[in-house]
Amino acid sequence: AVTMGQPDKSTFYVTLGLISIPSLLFFIFVCPFLILHVSPLILVVGVLGVTYTLVVLCMCSYTDPGVIPRQSPTPEIEAMMAQAAEERKVDPYNRRPAVPRKEIQLKGTTIKVGYCTTCHFYRPPRSSHCSDCDRCVENFDHHCPWVGNCVGKRNYKYFFHFVCSAAVMCLYMCAFSVVELVLLTQQPMTLLEATFNSPVCPLIAIYTFFVFFSVTGLSCYHSYLICYGVTTNEDIKGTYRHDDNPWHKGVIGNCMYLVCCTPAWPSLIRRENTCPTSWRELCPGSSRSNKDKDYSGDHHPRSSRSDRESAEEEEEGEGLLARDMRGMRNRANSDSDEDIQQGNDRSPLIARSPSEIV
């Protein structure tokens, strides 16, 4: 069986403590005074806000980020890797990839895709192998130790909601801690006396003040990435520095797609030897042999005139790619148990060797 790495959750529990403990101190020692002198809504809003922050944190940590299951290497790939290993023995400084990269065109932009020698398939565009989790992730953004998981296609929305809600709650608790200190100084006592009278207030104010700037900077950076339709990984590498970004939908379109109306992508790790895309779908117009067609898994051929007309209309740019991705995911989830039990090790939804690309 092909096994994959698992993320380390130890830092995730530290994050839970860094959020839960100050929040409990705020509710227990700060809110009673504010309830009496300001409004009971301060406690209600605070509890709802912290609860939402913890919920999206847990969803980001425990949601599959878009892991692509590993495959077994084909004999062709094994021969290439063996040859590359022999060449490196002769020339240790040889950095030539063991398996050659390929290029595809999308909306006039050339996208290079490489072969993952650990997971043994050509990675779909925007995917990357996480060195921390030792697995390939779709739309890989980055590995976040604070949530104990990779951030990718299926949990990026939760991550963004988490950092934004954390920033808002830090500002909320810092502001009302200062409000209590100000109200105490209006009574017959000095600021020093107010600090000794409610020592938790200045501690929470200072703690949330510094955390606020940290998470606010992160929120602003990811807001910038969303507006331009790039991932952290792509921004650091400068992937679209000299080319147009084929994934850019406009500022409003990016925000709606990544933050508000993100599709509920099904997890691919529920079934072994299934990957999200094939080179036939990524490269419209490429041909495959009859043998490859037998493995297509498409039990409902699109042969009607209306379907053909619809396909022609969507052939421009990302429309066809998005449609094919949805169709492949549906086929991956609807394959029968009989197909899995037959031991079909060669998944049709992935190009595992150069000969399968064309």
Side-chain angles (χ1 to χ4, degrees):
V2 183
T3 58
M4 294 183 292
Q6 296 296 329
D8 183 13
K9 295 290 185 183
S10 57
T11 314
F12 164 72
Y13 299 112
V14 175
T15 307
L16 283 178
L18 293 175
I19 297 175
S20 302
I21 295 175
S23 300
L24 288 175
L25 293 176
F26 177 79
F27 296 145
I28 294 173
F29 296 102
V30 179
C31 283
F33 179 86
L34 296 174
I35 290 174
L36 294 175
H37 296 82
V38 182
S39 173
L41 290 177
I42 295 176
L43 176 61
V44 176
V45 174
V47 170
L48 292 176
V50 172
T51 301
Y52 180 78
T53 303
L54 293 176
V55 167
V56 291
L57 169 63
C58 293
M59 293 184 72
C60 180
S61 179
Y62 287 99
T63 297
D64 165 28
V67 175
I68 307 175
R70 290 185 179 180
Q71 307 292 298
S72 299
T74 62
E76 182 183 0
I77 292 297
E78 289 180 336
M80 288 185 178
M81 295 178 66
Q83 180 181 356
E86 292 296 329
E87 292 177 355
R88 288 195 178 97
K89 290 180 180 179
V90 178
D91 182 10
Y93 297 99
N94 182 10
R95 299 303 181 197
R96 183 178 64 85
V99 182
R101 292 186 176 184
K102 296 296 176 181
E103 294 182 352
I104 62 173
Q105 292 287 333
L106 184 62
K107 289 185 177 180
T109 302
T110 301
I111 300 176
K112 295 182 178 180
V113 290
Y115 185 87
C116 180
T117 56
T118 302
C119 301
H120 297 293
F121 53 76
Y122 276 91
R123 288 190 291 261
R126 313 193 88 183
S127 303
S128 183
H129 190 91
C130 176
S131 57
D132 295 279
C133 298
D134 193 26
R135 55 190 187 175
C136 283
V137 178
E138 283 189 89
N139 288 22
F140 178 78
D141 190 87
H142 70 287
H143 179 89
C144 181
W146 297 107
V147 301
N149 199 3
C150 292
V151 179
K153 188 170 191 174
R154 299 186 71 248
N155 66 344
Y156 182 82
K157 176 177 70 174
Y158 302 132
F159 173 79
F160 183 73
H161 285 210
F162 163 65
V163 293
C164 291
S165 60
V168 171
M169 291 313 302
C170 284
L171 179 62
Y172 184 85
M173 288 189 284
C174 179
F176 280 107
S177 297
V178 173
V179 167
E180 178 168 338
L181 289 175
V182 171
L183 292 177
L184 288 174
T185 56
Q186 292 179 352
Q187 299 178 3
M189 63 175 65
T190 63
L191 178 61
L192 183 61
E193 292 174 338
T195 301
F196 281 107
N197 184 65
S198 182
V200 176
C201 279
L203 293 177
I204 293 180
I206 294 172
Y207 173 79
T208 53
F209 177 79
F210 287 104
V211 175
F212 168 75
F213 281 101
S214 299
V215 294
T216 299
L218 191 60
S219 302
C220 293
Y221 174 66
H222 279 276
S223 298
Y224 157 80
L225 294 179
I226 290 173
C227 290
Y228 284 92
V230 298
T231 64
T232 301
N233 186 48
E234 293 169 342
D235 184 58
I236 293 175
K237 293 181 177 179
T239 305
Y240 308 115
R241 188 172 300 165
H242 304 293
D243 297 307
D244 293 331
N245 180 6
W247 316 102
H248 186 47
K249 303 175 183 295
V251 175
I252 297 178
N254 291 336
C255 293
M256 293 295 293
Y257 182 78
L258 294 173
V259 180
C260 303
C261 304
T262 304
W265 303 110
S267 175
L268 297 172
I269 60 177
R270 295 174 183 175
R271 178 190 170 190
E272 294 182 357
N273 295 327
T274 300
C275 286
T277 188
S278 72
W279 288 106
R280 178 174 179 270
E281 279 72 20
L282 285 179
C283 305
S286 63
S287 60
R288 296 193 303 176
S289 64
N290 292 332
K291 183 178 179 181
D292 288 334
K293 292 179 181 179
D294 293 337
Y295 287 97
S296 67
D298 190 353
H299 304 297
H300 304 284
R302 292 172 291 185
S303 58
S304 65
R305 181 176 180 273
S306 59
D307 288 338
R308 289 198 302 270
E309 290 176 351
S310 177
E312 291 174 357
E313 292 173 358
E314 294 180 350
E315 193 170 353
E316 280 290 330
E318 193 179 4
L320 179 60
L321 179 60
R323 176 183 174 181
D324 288 336
M325 290 287 282
R326 290 193 298 269
M328 285 180 291
R329 289 178 176 277
N330 293 334
R331 293 198 299 270
N333 287 337
S334 63
D335 281 342
S336 63
D337 294 337
E338 180 181 355
D339 294 333
I340 301 174
Q341 292 172 0
Q342 287 176 355
N344 181 8
D345 182 63
R346 182 180 180 184
S347 173
L349 303 181
I350 187 166
R352 298 195 292 141
S353 64
S355 63
E356 296 181 52
I357 296 179
V358 294

